């Protein structure tokens, strides 16, 4: 494991170093020390590396990630793994708002609670939250899975398209066009795999599934009140 | 933008270090608010029957002695003044209202920025580091402090428009965000007899709180009313005589993070302002929920 000090090298210095790695590098395991809540740590990585961050990070950590495995040992600020393409981002603590926003792929695991707008406009990312999520989570979610082992805040899945939402606890209320759906065998199988990949212990049978009623795809004057 | 920070010491042993611990918090928020900065610090409680005023004047060489002598002569009271930067701490045994009325009548150019038993408010245009040093806060001891770094959006960059804003005895408010109904609310509050020094939206929120508290509402009730009546985006941190409170609007898009250890509780717009505190690595860290009032009090 190669250690880099964010305090002495700066976020830009550390990120440049990680960006310059060729995909077939042998230097595959990195430890970033002293994050001190700085923003944009380990953003835009593109390759099969493991980057561990020893402490709490600021905004947009692991954004745009491709292939890399990023482990944040602590709390993550706003927009962790924003627009992730593939790979894995794991947060061992809680995360602030907009976790996994607009993510296209990969897996985001938050072992603690996520805050509001978790998975907002998600486009294929899978998000597994060990705790609860705040209000407006999966707002306008288009594709992917959001798994919540705790409760979901107000307006879950508001204006949702095709993403699947699995909630173990209570959903405060559902947003426009979001409804509870039947848990079929394929969903149970999918959820089992997600929990296994996320290394989060929970029983599939305890979850409920929510998704789109598909009534708001096209504007309909009769639904004006629902927008 | 704007940055807000608050630090409340649960462990009494840390009180001599309050100023030192708080400094990196407010300085870290410089790029969120380089226009002006302000700090409310709670320390040196005055004796029963006394009131401590934080006063400010645009002229740093203003002669505060004449306030001291004038007050003693007119109100037949004891008064002491201590000049700190272009601010002054006035301690007197006169009635609070008599002092306010006397100042207004004889020295309208003097601004009252805070009053109470413990609170001291210092605020000024300029970079947070310069402001902090100007008021000699490095070696300040005390129980808790809240601070603000301002990037002005709703009104001019002036000392009067800087935060914190006082909302009553030992109470003050800092704000990150912008209110959208402050003009109408200001007019309503003027009709209720409240006075305003600026066009600032936060001053309206502070006056609203003052008005509610005067009506006998508790701090929590006043904040609950505020959630209904204040329209806009806000994360507020409210300093009280023995702690602080944090509240966010229903949408909660103005950043906020809370951190707590056995020794202290801290709030900030961004975690990096908290990361300098001893023990922050192992702190419990979370984002405060919307429309939820968080309070810490009574440890000190």
């Amino acid at each position: 494991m190669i250690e880099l000090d964010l305090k002495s090298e700066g976020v830009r210095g550390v990120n440049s170093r990680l960006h310059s790695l060729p995909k077939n590098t042998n230097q595959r395991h990195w430890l970033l020390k002293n994050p001190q809540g700085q923003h944009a740590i380990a953003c835009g990585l593109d390759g099969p590396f493991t980057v561990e961050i020893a402490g709490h990070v600021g905004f947009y950590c692991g954004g745009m990630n491709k292939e890399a495995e990023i482990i944040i040992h602590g709390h993550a600020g706003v927009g962790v793994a924003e627009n992730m393409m593939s790979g894995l981002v794991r947060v061992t603590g809680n995360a602030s708002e907009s976790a996994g926003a607009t993510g296209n792929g990969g897996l985001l695991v938050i072992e603690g609670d996520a805050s509001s707008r978790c998975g907002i406009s998600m486009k294929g990312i899978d998000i597994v939250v060990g705790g609860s999520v705040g209000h407006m989570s999966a707002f306008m979610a288009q594709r992917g899975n959001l798994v919540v082992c705790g409760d979901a805040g107000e307006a879950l899945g508001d204006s949702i398209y095709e993403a699947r939402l699995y909630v173990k606890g209570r959903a405060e209320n559902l947003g426009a066009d979001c409804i509870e759906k039947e848990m079929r065998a394929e969903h149970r199988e999918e959820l089992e795999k997600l929990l296994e990949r996320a290394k989060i212990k929970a029983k599939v049978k305890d979850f409920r599934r929510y998704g789109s009623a598909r009534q708001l795809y096209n504007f309909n004057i009769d639904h004006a009140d629902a927008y | 933008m704007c940055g807000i920070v608050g630090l409340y010491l649960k462990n009494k042993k840390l009180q001599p270090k309050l100023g030192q611990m708080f400094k990196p918090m407010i300085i870290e928020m410089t790029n969120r608010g380089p226009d002006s900065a302000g700090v409310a610090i709670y320390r040196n409680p005055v004796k029963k029957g006394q009131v401590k005023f934080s006063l400010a004047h645009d002229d740093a060489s203003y002669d505060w002695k004449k306030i001291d002598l004038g007050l003693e002569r007119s109100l037949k009271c004891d008064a002491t003044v201590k000049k700190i930067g272009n601010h002054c701490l006035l301690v007197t045994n006169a009635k609070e209202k008599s002092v306010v009325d006397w100042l207004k009548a004889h020295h309208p150019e003097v601004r009252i920025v805070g009053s109470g038993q413990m609170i001291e408010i210092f605020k000024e245009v300029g970079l947070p580091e310069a402001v902090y040093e100007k008021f000699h806060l490095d070696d300040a001891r005390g129980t808790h402090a809240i601070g603000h770094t301002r990037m002005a959006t709703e009104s001019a960059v002036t000392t009067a428009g800087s935060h914190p804003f006082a909302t009553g005895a030992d109470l003050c408010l800092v704000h990150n965000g912008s209110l959208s109904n402050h003009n109408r609310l200001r007019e309503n509050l003027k009709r209720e007899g409240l006075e305003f020094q600026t066009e600032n939206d936060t001053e309206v929120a502070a006056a609203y709180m003052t008005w509610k508290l005067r009506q006998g509402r508790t701090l929590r009730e006043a904040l609950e009313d505020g959630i209904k009546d204040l329209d806009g985006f806000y994360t507020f941190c409210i300093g009280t005589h023995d702690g602080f409170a944090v509240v966010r609007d229903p949408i909660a898009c103005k950043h906020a993070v809370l951190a707590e250890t056995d020794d202290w509780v801290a709030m900030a717009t961004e975690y990096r302002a908290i990361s300098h505190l001893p023990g922050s690595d192992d702190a419990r860290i979370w984002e405060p929920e919307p429309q939820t009032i968080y309070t810490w009090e009574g440890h000190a």
Side-chain angles (χ1 to χ4, degrees):
Chain A
M1 190 153 50
I2 307 153
E3 287 186 11
L4 294 176
D5 189 344
L6 283 154
K7 202 169 175 180
S8 57
E9 294 195 40
V11 174
R12 190 165 290 196
V14 167
N15 283 353
S16 308
R17 194 132 163 216
L18 296 171
H19 292 163
S20 65
L21 293 171
K23 285 204 174 187
N24 58 359
T25 180
N26 289 325
Q27 300 178 322
R28 282 173 183 267
H29 200 160
W30 298 77
L31 178 67
L32 312 187
K33 296 177 89 171
N34 288 317
Q36 295 194 296
Q38 296 301 306
H39 301 325
I41 294 172
C43 267
L45 301 190
D46 185 3
F49 331 119
T50 297
V51 176
E52 297 195 45
I53 305 168
H56 312 298
V57 297
F59 297 2
Y60 315 125
C61 183
M64 301 174 284
N65 182 46
K66 229 171 159 181
E67 295 186 51
E69 180 178 333
I70 300 170
I71 302 162
I72 300 156
H73 295 279
H75 177 91
V78 173
V80 64
E82 185 181 65
N83 210 56
M84 172 150 67
M85 304 305 287
S86 62
L88 172 89
V89 173
R90 176 181 292 276
V91 182
T92 64
N94 299 326
S96 288
E97 63 187 282
S98 303
T102 74
N104 281 267
L107 174 66
L108 167 64
V109 182
I110 296 158
E111 295 182 0
D113 294 326
S115 185
S116 59
R117 295 173 274 273
C118 179
I120 183 171
S121 196
M122 53 195 276
K123 297 173 172 68
I125 189 174
D126 292 322
I127 305 174
V128 180
V129 181
S132 298
V133 297
H135 66 282
M136 297 296 274
S137 287
F139 176 57
M140 294 189 83
Q142 292 140 56
R143 207 157 60 85
N145 299 286
L146 171 65
V147 180
V148 182
C149 298
D151 301 328
E154 276 185 68
L156 175 70
D158 192 279
S159 307
I160 187 174
Y161 293 83
E162 292 303 310
R164 288 171 177 171
L165 315 179
Y166 299 98
V167 181
K168 186 175 152 199
R170 200 172 74 94
E172 177 93 24
N173 57 47
L174 303 179
D177 214 29
C178 182
I179 53 168
E180 185 172 350
K181 293 186 161 184
E182 186 197 355
M183 268 291 233
R184 295 194 299 269
E186 75 243 43
H187 304 119
R188 283 192 285 272
E189 197 179 317
E190 180 180 59
L191 180 56
E192 185 85 59
K193 277 186 196 153
L194 280 166
L195 289 166
E196 200 179 300
R197 273 170 65 208
K199 295 179 187 147
I200 296 271
K201 278 193 183 124
K203 289 191 180 106
V204 168
K205 67 172 177 52
D206 297 337
F207 285 80
R208 291 172 158 205
R209 180 170 77 101
Y210 303 90
S212 178
R214 302 189 178 98
Q215 297 298 305
L216 294 179
Y217 266 50
N218 303 299
F219 181 75
N220 180 331
I221 193 66
D222 295 334
H223 299 143
D225 288 345
Y227 288 96
Chain B
M1 291 281 263
C2 295
I4 60 179
V5 286
L7 175 64
Y8 172 61
L9 301 177
K10 290 157 76 176
N11 182 346
K12 278 186 188 173
K13 285 185 190 147
L14 292 171
Q15 288 182 9
K17 291 186 184 160
L18 179 68
Q20 208 181 312
M21 288 168 75
F22 194 68
K23 187 179 185 180
M25 293 185 74
I26 196 160
I27 289 175
E28 189 68 47
M29 290 293 96
T30 299
N31 57 9
R32 291 195 69 93
D35 293 339
S36 67
V39 175
I41 189 158
Y42 291 78
R43 60 176 171 180
N44 308 334
V46 294
K47 291 192 192 105
K48 215 178 161 205
Q50 291 185 322
V51 192
K52 175 160 62 172
F53 287 91
S54 305
L55 306 176
H57 195 283
D58 288 337
D59 178 6
S61 61
Y62 185 72
D63 179 18
W64 294 101
K65 204 67 199 158
K66 65 186 177 198
I67 301 281
D68 184 353
L69 297 173
L71 261 180
E72 288 187 337
R73 204 173 308 134
S74 307
L75 301 180
K76 312 237 176 318
C77 64
D78 291 331
T80 56
V81 288
K82 186 182 169 196
K83 179 176 151 46
I84 305 177
N86 63 348
H87 284 42
C88 153
L89 296 176
L90 164 69
V91 177
T92 173
N93 58 358
K95 286 261 178 298
E96 179 168 359
K97 188 171 181 310
S98 327
V99 178
V100 173
D101 291 345
W102 184 85
L103 281 170
K104 216 180 286 171
H106 298 90
H107 299 280
E109 74 285 3
V110 169
R111 288 190 309 276
I112 301 172
V113 292
S115 64
Q117 299 280 302
M118 291 179 74
I119 194 171
E120 295 175 18
I121 295 180
F122 304 100
K123 51 185 184 176
E124 181 60 294
V125 292
L127 292 174
E129 184 162 19
V131 174
Y132 205 79
E133 276 163 14
K134 186 172 186 173
F135 297 112
H136 315 300
L137 293 168
D138 280 276
D139 53 1
R141 57 181 299 154
T143 53
H144 53 298
I146 66 173
H148 186 269
T149 63
R150 181 168 185 232
M151 189 179 282
T153 56
E154 296 292 301
S155 67
V157 177
T158 60
T159 306
S162 312
H163 306 213
F165 285 99
T167 62
D170 282 328
L171 283 168
C172 70
L173 175 79
V174 292
H175 172 205
N176 174 26
S178 56
L179 300 179
S180 43
N181 64 342
H182 63 102
N183 284 326
R184 182 181 296 171
L185 207 51
R186 188 185 294 108
E187 292 312 308
N188 294 346
L189 289 166
K190 276 182 185 168
R191 280 197 287 279
E192 297 289 340
L194 286 115
E195 291 172 24
F196 294 86
Q197 295 177 348
T198 70
E199 293 299 305
N200 186 282
D201 58 333
T202 309
E203 190 185 17
V204 175
Y208 175 87
M209 292 290 297
T210 307
W211 175 59
K212 283 284 173 184
L213 294 163
R214 266 187 208 164
Q215 290 176 323
R217 304 290 275 168
T218 63
L219 178 67
R220 181 171 284 274
E221 287 167 346
L223 291 171
E224 281 166 358
D225 293 344
I227 291 169
K228 286 186 215 108
D229 291 338
L230 300 173
D231 187 14
F233 297 120
Y234 54 85
T235 294
F236 289 132
C237 183
I238 298 107
T240 68
H241 74 285
D242 67 345
F244 71 69
V246 174
V247 63
R248 304 174 80 194
D249 69 76
I251 306 289
C253 67
K254 301 313 281 188
H255 307 309
V257 64
L258 289 167
E260 183 167 15
T261 68
D262 289 343
D263 290 334
W264 48 258
V265 181
M267 85 78 56
T269 307
E270 299 175 25
Y271 172 75
R272 64 191 162 107
I274 296 171
S275 71
H276 308 274
L277 292 173
S280 60
D281 286 349
D282 301 317
R284 186 166 80 89
I285 302 171
W286 75 103
E287 183 174 325
E289 291 187 23
Q291 303 184 82
T292 305
I293 297 160
Y294 296 82
T295 55
W296 284 270
E297 59 204 358
H299 282 267

